[in-house]
Amino acid sequence: MTRKKKIFSIEESLPDLSGMFNNFSASPKPKQITIEKALKIILRQMEVSGNRERTISDYDLHVSHFKESEELTYLHEITYESIHLWLGNMDVSAQTRLTRLKCLKAFLSRCFDNGWFESKFWKNVKVKVDNKVKEGATDQEIKILLSLLDLTDFVQLRDATSLFLMYKTGMRVGTLANLKEEHIDFNGELLRLSGEIVKNREPLLLPFDETLAQLLSVLVNKNDEIRRAYKKDNKFVFITKYGNQIATGPSNNNIQKRLNRYAREYGLKNINPQALRRGFAKSLLEKGANLTDISRALGHSDLSVTTKYLYLDKNEVAKNLRRFL
C-alpha cells in the first residue's frame, strides 16, 4: 500500500454501528413534542428563513391562543374537532375568524413538513365569509383631498405626496415607510425598489409621472432642511416633522393615521392604503393593462391573489367582457 493510500485507510478495529440508528427518527413524533416546543422550533425556522416580524408574531399569538383556549399540551391532542371548538368560541367577525384559522393552518402545515403529522386533517376546516365588493379610491376622491391640503405646509405636503404615490404606483404603506432617496431615479422617473423593502422580497420597478416627480423633489429638499435642523441622520423619503422615520412598527404608521383622519374629516370613505392600491389596480385594468402586469406592479406572488384583490363584481365582469364581443 502506498503512503498516500495509507493516510485514508482505517486499520483499527471498530464496533458494529449498524444497530445504533434503528430507533433514530429525524423528527420527534407528535406524542413526544408539545405544542409550545413545536411553536418555538417553527418560529426559529421562520426567523432563519427571513419571514417578517409581523408574520412571526401572528403565528405566536394565534397558535398560543388556540393552545390555551382548548387547554391542549401536545401536538397529537390537536384534532379536527378541537379546531372547530376553538373557532366556535370566538366572539369575532367571520373575517377575523378566517384570518386566525389561516394562521393556525399554516402552523400545522409547517408541523407536517417537519414530520410531526402523518396527514393534513385540518385542510377541510373552513370558515365561510361573504366577499363584499371592496371599492378602490377614485380620481375624484384623490382630487378632492389634494385640493383641501395646504402644500405649503410640510406635513400636508408629505401626506399629499404619500397619497399620490400610493395611488399612482400601488405601493404598500409599509414599503412607503421604508422608501429612501436611493430608491428614486428622478432622471428615469422610476422607483427602483430593493427586495428588502418589498413584502414578497422581490425587487420592483415602478414608473411615476411628472407631477409625482415634482412632489417628490420638493419633499426631498424639505426633508434635508428638517434633518439638519433636528440633527437627524437618515435618508427616508417620508419623515416626521422632527426628522424621524414615519413608522416605528407595522401598526404604528403616521401616514396611515393621517389618511384615516382625512377620510373622517372630509367624508371620503376610500382614502386608506388598501383602497389606494385597489384604485391603482382598477385604474390600470380599465386602461387596458393585462392582469400579469398589474399583479407584478402590486408585488403579488400569483394571479389568484390579484383577481381576489380587484374584487370585480358580476356587473364589472360583464362590462369588461362586452368589449371583446
Side-chain angles (χ1 to χ4, degrees):
M1 181 182 296
T2 65
R3 178 177 178 81
K4 186 175 181 181
K5 288 184 178 179
K6 193 170 184 180
I7 294 175
F8 301 102
S9 175
I10 307 298
E11 297 181 347
E12 289 83 356
S13 176
L14 294 173
D16 182 5
L17 303 178
S18 59
M20 288 186 63
F21 302 102
N22 286 344
N23 298 318
F24 176 77
S25 175
S27 302
K29 298 298 182 185
K31 289 186 179 181
Q32 297 173 318
I33 187 169
T34 64
I35 298 172
E36 183 178 2
K37 181 178 179 181
L39 181 58
K40 284 182 179 179
I41 292 172
I42 286 172
L43 293 183
R44 178 57 183 156
Q45 289 172 343
M46 292 173 71
E47 288 176 6
V48 172
S49 298
N51 287 90
R52 294 184 180 276
E53 185 178 335
R54 176 65 180 271
T55 305
I56 294 172
S57 175
D58 286 346
Y59 267 61
D60 193 10
L61 176 66
H62 299 313
V63 174
S64 296
H65 180 267
F66 168 67
K67 168 184 170 293
E68 293 164 8
S69 173
E70 300 310 304
E71 299 180 348
L72 305 175
T73 302
Y74 293 93
L75 283 181
H76 77 276
E77 296 174 332
I78 300 175
T79 63
Y80 182 88
E81 291 74 18
S82 65
I83 298 173
H84 271 289
L85 286 172
W86 176 58
L87 294 171
N89 289 329
M90 291 183 195
D91 186 20
V92 296
S93 69
Q95 183 60 57
T96 300
R97 195 176 292 117
L98 176 61
T99 300
R100 294 177 181 179
L101 174 61
K102 284 182 177 179
C103 191
L104 179 63
K105 280 185 169 183
F107 164 74
L108 294 175
S109 292
R110 286 178 180 271
C111 289
F112 177 83
D113 293 340
N114 280 324
W116 301 331
F117 286 111
E118 294 181 357
S119 67
K120 294 185 177 182
F121 59 83
W122 53 87
K123 285 185 69 175
N124 292 325
V125 181
K126 301 189 184 298
V127 172
K128 291 187 177 180
V129 178
D130 292 332
N131 286 327
K132 296 180 180 178
V133 176
K134 296 185 179 181
E135 298 178 22
T138 64
D139 283 346
Q140 183 64 16
E141 288 172 309
I142 300 300
K143 288 176 182 177
I144 289 173
L145 183 51
L146 290 177
S147 70
L148 294 168
L149 296 179
D150 179 5
L151 301 188
T152 64
D153 174 78
F154 168 73
V155 171
Q156 293 185 61
L157 168 67
R158 179 202 66 194
D159 296 347
T161 306
S162 67
L163 169 83
F164 207 57
L165 183 64
M166 286 188 280
Y167 184 63
K168 287 295 186 178
T169 69
M171 184 183 295
R172 290 183 174 91
V173 70
T175 301
L176 180 138
N178 290 290
L179 188 70
K180 294 183 178 179
E181 292 177 17
E182 66 193 56
H183 297 128
I184 305 176
D185 176 0
F186 281 106
N187 291 328
E189 293 188 343
L190 197 66
L191 294 173
R192 300 181 181 275
L193 306 182
S194 57
E196 63 183 7
I197 70 169
V198 178
K199 185 177 181 181
N200 67 359
R201 302 301 175 95
E202 293 290 333
L204 193 59
L205 298 179
L206 296 172
F208 54 84
D209 61 19
E210 186 178 346
T211 301
L212 192 48
Q214 291 175 344
L215 287 169
L216 286 168
S217 179
V218 174
L219 182 65
V220 166
N221 289 333
K222 194 63 182 177
N223 286 345
D224 288 339
E225 292 181 33
I226 290 174
R227 281 190 286 257
R228 282 197 299 270
Y230 289 96
K231 298 180 179 179
K232 301 294 181 179
D233 184 21
N234 66 65
K235 284 297 181 180
F236 291 112
V237 176
F238 295 95
I239 59 175
T240 68
K241 60 184 178 181
Y242 300 111
N244 298 313
Q245 187 180 11
I246 57 166
T248 56
S251 59
N252 186 22
N253 188 310
N254 283 356
I255 294 295
Q256 187 156 345
K257 291 177 181 178
R258 295 282 297 182
L259 292 181
N260 290 338
R261 175 182 166 185
Y262 292 136
R264 291 193 305 270
E265 188 173 341
Y266 300 122
L268 301 169
K269 64 178 181 178
N270 292 318
I271 298 299
N272 62 72
Q274 284 298 321
L276 292 170
R277 268 170 61 78
R278 194 168 290 113
F280 161 76
K282 287 195 172 184
S283 176
L284 286 182
L285 191 67
E286 289 169 0
K287 292 174 181 176
N290 66 60
L291 198 59
T292 301
D293 288 339
I294 296 173
S295 184
R296 288 173 178 168
L298 290 170
H300 286 163
S301 55
D302 63 61
L303 291 177
S304 64
V305 177
T306 307
T307 54
K308 290 180 181 179
Y309 190 86
L310 284 166
Y311 284 98
L312 296 175
D313 67 14
K314 58 182 180 293
N315 293 317
E316 286 180 280
V317 173
K319 179 181 176 182
N320 291 335
L321 289 176
R322 187 171 294 281
R323 292 183 299 169
F324 300 97
L325 295 178

